[in-house]
Every structure is written in C-alpha cells, then in structure tokens.
Amino acid sequence: MQSLQQLLQRLSDGTCDPCLTALYAPSGDPDVLTLARQRATQAAKGFQAAFSPDGSAPAALFSGPGRTEIGGNHTDHQHGHVLCGSVDLDTLACAGPNGGNTVRIHSEGYAPLEVSLSCLDVVPEEKNTSAALVRGVAAGFVQRGKAVGGFDAYVTSNVLSGSGLSSSAAYEVLVGNIFNHLFCADALTPMELAQIGQKAENVYFGKPCGLMDQAASAVGSAVAIDFADPAAPVVRRIDFDFDQCGYALCIVDTGSCHADLTDDYASIPQEMGQVAAYFGQTVLRDVDQKRFWAELASLRAQVGDRAILRAIHFFHDDRRAAEEADALAAGQFQRFLDLVNESGRSSAEFLQNVIAGTDPKEQAVALSLAVAQEALGGQGAVRIHGGGFAGTIQAFVPNDRLEHFRSTMENLLGSGMCHVLRIRPVGGCVVYAND
C-alpha cells in the first residue's frame, strides 16, 4: 500500500481524479470534483495530524454511503419487500494498518476512540457508541473465520444526522470495508459486510434494525430486498440510471424533532403484530389476506380500527415496493412515480405516521407534504421518508421545477432544509488504494 505522503501527492497531481469522478462526480462537473478532491485531501491531512506527522504510514481512502428508503414504508419488520438505495453523501475515511491489535479512529467533530481487538465480546458500557460498532464488526469477521488487525483512520462524514439516511449503517459499512481490504484481500461480499454491520448494530450497539440500511449502503444503486426469510433475505440490485431520468431526488428536513416519539414508532409494529397474532402468525407477511378481509368484523372487535388500517397499508405497500423495483428495472419511470405517490398517500391515510399524537398543533410533516405537492404542480412524487411522525420527506422533482421546489420548501422551513441528492451507483468501497 502507498504511504500517506504518496496518497497526498496523488490527490494533488490528479492521479486520484478518475476514482473521485466515478464516485462523486459522474456527470463530469468540475466543481463537484474539486470539492471531492478537497474533502479527500482533508481526510488525508487529518490522518497525518493524528497518526503520521512524517507521512510514512500506509494509507488508503474508503467510503460508506448513506441510504434512502424509496419504497416499502414500515414493511421490513413484517418480513415484507423494500426498495432502497445508496446516496451520494458518505462517511469517508483515510485509513491504514498500524501493525498492532487496536483500532484507533479520529472522527471529525467527535472524541477519538480506541478499540482493542483482544476482546470481541459485547461490552455493555459501549452500548450506543461507535466503539460498539467497531467491536461488533470486527467480531463479525472473526466469526466468519477471517483475520482482523489494528488500523488507524481519520473519518469525515456528510451524511445528514437525523435525516433517515442512516449514518450508522454508513459507518458500519465503512469499517467493514476497511477490515475487508486491509486484512482479508476483499474476500467478503457486500451482502456479507451488510449482515456483519446489522449484527453489530443489533447486538453490540443495542439498536434493533432490519438489514435494509446496511444492504443499501453496502451494495449500492437501488436495491430491492425481500425479507420473507430475514436470516437470508433475497437482494436484487436494480441498475436504473437515475441521473438520466430528468428528475432530482430531494430529501426535505421538516424541522420536526424525533424526541418523545418512541411510543408512536413502537405502536406500528405492535399493532401490526396484534393483527398477525389474531391469525396465529408472528408477522403480517404470513397472514392469509383472504381471511383478513373475510374476518374484519371480529378482528376489529379484538384489535381496533387503527391496527386494521395499518395492516391494510402493509399489504398494499409490500406489493408496491416490489412493483416499484420492477418498474425501475423495466425503465418505466412514470409508473414508478405513480407507485411512490400511492405509497405516500397510504402512509398518511392508513399507516398514519405523518402526524404524531403527542401534539396535534405540531404537524410539520403533514404541512411539508402538502406544500411539496403544491410545489410539484401535479408532477413527480412525494412521500414520508423513513419512520415518520417527524424528520424528513422525500420527493422526486422534475429538473425544470427543482429551483421552484427548493425555494418553496425553504421559504417554509428555512434555508438549507432541502437537500438534492443522487442515487449512488457504488456502495461501500475502497476509493483509492494503489496496492
């Protein structure tokens, strides 16, 4: 592997430009490439300041992208279908082996961390920390019979926190790619890295989650996932050229807060589970829909109306997510947009995760959706993004309406609240190594 000083020279003389262009500036925009080069250089210089003042340490660049949920809202925990994709915001690292058995990471804006690999058991005191994710990812490699070793890394991220773009999955995929390249000759597949990341988050970090976030970040592009068997989900990459579709992907921060919404989020899988249990099942995926519709009256008496409406949302959105993937694969973008709009309406009317029950005067998500629909003028598509109740909405906006859409949303919500993203065709990866 090249030394840090060689990496800095190659960033400066343009040797790295083709790799940076492919990942960050596929349209060839020189300004985007310049920003990408500056960011990579910043990471390399951060590594130098933290670990190698003389520039002699081996170093390479690695990336773990954020992800966006495209189709299937609250379908994954019921073993349904989802459609998701990696985006062009990522967690970027300059990293290299340090010859020891300790991982040392300096993340921009955070305290440095050190994780000894001599113990790969769960450390309760590390719950909800980055150290837990590092330890969990390392344990995942060892459990697969792979070697790990100590490395140093300087990390910078532009994945928006609290935006539903899953910064934790981006971090897990980043760390997985570093271990995979430095110590395993890239032997593990993207899906294996995704599964390692999911287990690290579930068991070590202490957050229950499905595989959607990690799969989208690891695989790249649009990814259709069937969770019928959560232990072995069926993953299909959808190679659709979003850059040529004439639409921009916007994630709009509604300015609402996720605090105190735990009960709202928990009520969705709880109520869906109540419906499934009525039919002797654990999840809605296994419920016979003919029986569901035939027994509504008695079901209603047992679980209540909202649980039934949420089950109806699942049945339809599960189907829609698969149809969205098929529409993209067939190049039927208008069909895809129609399905996205249907999903958005279903989330609002049946799933009911647009308005939180805690403060009926606070309806930032619902208001943002209404204003977005007005700004789109009957074109494109808009839906809730992620868990709902607060946070962000997602819109596919015609390029010729993009500035109008952005200005309309930011007049309501504030400057910088509308983020224009790309579906990134590459998942977690080695950006540049020159081994």
Side-chain angles (χ1 to χ4, degrees):
M1 180 180 291
Q2 71 210 326
S3 69
L4 172 64
Q5 194 58 50
Q6 290 171 321
L7 174 60
L8 283 166
Q9 178 60 41
R10 286 163 181 154
L11 285 166
S12 176
D13 66 21
T15 302
C16 294
D17 281 0
C19 297
L20 296 174
T21 297
L23 199 60
Y24 300 108
S27 66
D29 187 328
D31 293 335
V32 176
L33 174 59
T34 297
L35 290 174
R37 190 188 306 119
Q38 290 172 347
R39 186 163 169 255
T41 302
Q42 174 188 343
K45 289 184 175 179
F47 182 94
Q48 182 174 33
F51 304 111
S52 182
D54 66 359
S56 62
L61 296 172
F62 301 85
S63 169
R67 72 99 182 106
T68 184
E69 174 196 285
I70 301 171
N73 194 218
H74 281 279
T75 53
D76 57 340
H77 52 71
Q78 297 300 304
H79 297 188
H81 295 82
V82 298
L83 178 65
C84 49
S86 56
V87 298
D88 58 347
L89 300 181
D90 71 343
T91 301
L92 176 70
C94 180
N98 57 29
N101 200 38
T102 298
V103 172
R104 303 184 299 178
I105 299 179
H106 285 219
S107 294
E108 200 171 68
Y110 296 90
L113 68 83
E114 291 193 7
V115 177
S116 171
L117 302 180
S118 59
C119 172
L120 296 181
D121 297 330
V122 175
V123 178
E125 294 77 17
E126 288 181 347
K127 292 281 186 177
N128 299 306
T129 70
S130 298
L133 296 178
V134 173
R135 195 180 306 278
V137 170
F141 275 79
V142 172
Q143 289 162 7
R144 284 168 169 74
K146 301 299 182 182
V148 293
F151 66 81
D152 297 330
Y154 184 89
V155 176
T156 180
S157 179
N158 58 12
V159 180
L160 307 169
S161 178
S163 63
L165 299 178
S166 195
S167 56
S168 58
Y171 190 85
E172 294 150 16
V173 168
L174 174 79
V175 172
N177 272 277
I178 294 173
F179 277 129
N180 198 31
H181 184 75
L182 296 184
F183 307 107
C184 303
D186 299 311
L188 296 189
T189 67
M191 275 307 301
E192 288 176 308
L193 297 181
Q195 290 167 332
I196 286 173
Q198 181 204 13
K199 186 173 182 180
E201 188 156 346
N202 291 171
V203 177
Y204 285 75
F205 188 83
K207 178 184 176 183
C209 68
L211 189 62
M212 176 179 70
D213 296 351
Q214 293 82 4
S217 179
V219 175
S221 193
V223 181
I225 309 175
D226 181 349
F227 285 107
D229 179 0
V234 177
V235 178
R236 175 168 59 120
R237 178 185 166 109
I238 309 296
D239 288 315
F240 179 83
D241 191 347
F242 281 90
D243 291 334
Q244 300 300 316
C245 70
Y247 284 76
L249 168 63
C250 295
I251 300 295
V252 181
D253 186 346
T254 67
S256 49
C257 179
H258 286 88
D260 300 322
L261 293 175
T262 300
D263 290 344
D264 289 291
Y265 292 123
S267 69
I268 294 176
Q270 286 172 357
E271 292 180 8
M272 289 182 175
Q274 289 168 7
V275 175
Y278 173 91
F279 295 100
Q281 303 295 340
T282 303
V283 293
L284 288 175
R285 175 67 176 263
D286 297 328
V287 170
D288 183 331
Q289 291 187 45
K290 289 184 178 179
R291 278 194 65 197
F292 170 83
W293 290 106
E295 299 181 30
L296 278 185
S298 57
L299 175 62
R300 182 185 187 194
Q302 183 164 321
V303 304
D305 294 344
R306 190 173 68 172
I308 291 175
L309 290 167
R310 285 175 162 172
I312 291 171
H313 165 82
F314 168 79
F315 293 137
H316 290 314
D317 225 40
D318 179 47
R319 167 188 53 79
R320 268 190 295 263
E323 290 179 356
E324 286 173 12
D326 290 341
L328 288 179
Q332 299 170 346
F333 194 68
Q334 185 56 54
R335 170 63 176 159
F336 164 77
L337 293 176
D338 292 341
L339 290 164
V340 171
N341 279 321
E342 288 180 17
S343 177
R345 289 191 293 269
S346 179
S347 291
E349 296 172 15
F350 300 141
L351 185 61
Q352 300 179 36
N353 68 335
V354 167
I355 299 172
T358 52
D359 184 3
K361 291 185 178 179
E362 167 60 51
Q363 299 191 18
V365 172
L367 178 59
S368 298
L369 287 168
V371 173
Q373 288 169 356
E374 187 72 17
L376 285 171
Q379 302 181 61
V382 63
R383 68 191 287 272
I384 188 72
H385 184 244
F389 299 110
T392 58
I393 64 173
Q394 177 192 77
F396 288 91
V397 184
N399 288 335
D400 60 5
R401 294 187 71 89
L402 179 57
E403 289 311 311
H404 170 69
F405 181 86
R406 186 184 349 221
S407 64
T408 299
M409 301 311 299
E410 294 191 347
N411 283 340
L412 172 70
L413 301 167
S415 178
M417 301 296 265
C418 180
H419 306 278
V420 181
L421 307 181
R422 289 176 50 253
I423 297 295
R424 173 170 135 168
V426 179
C429 66
V430 182
V431 181
Y432 187 82
N434 195 35
D435 294 328

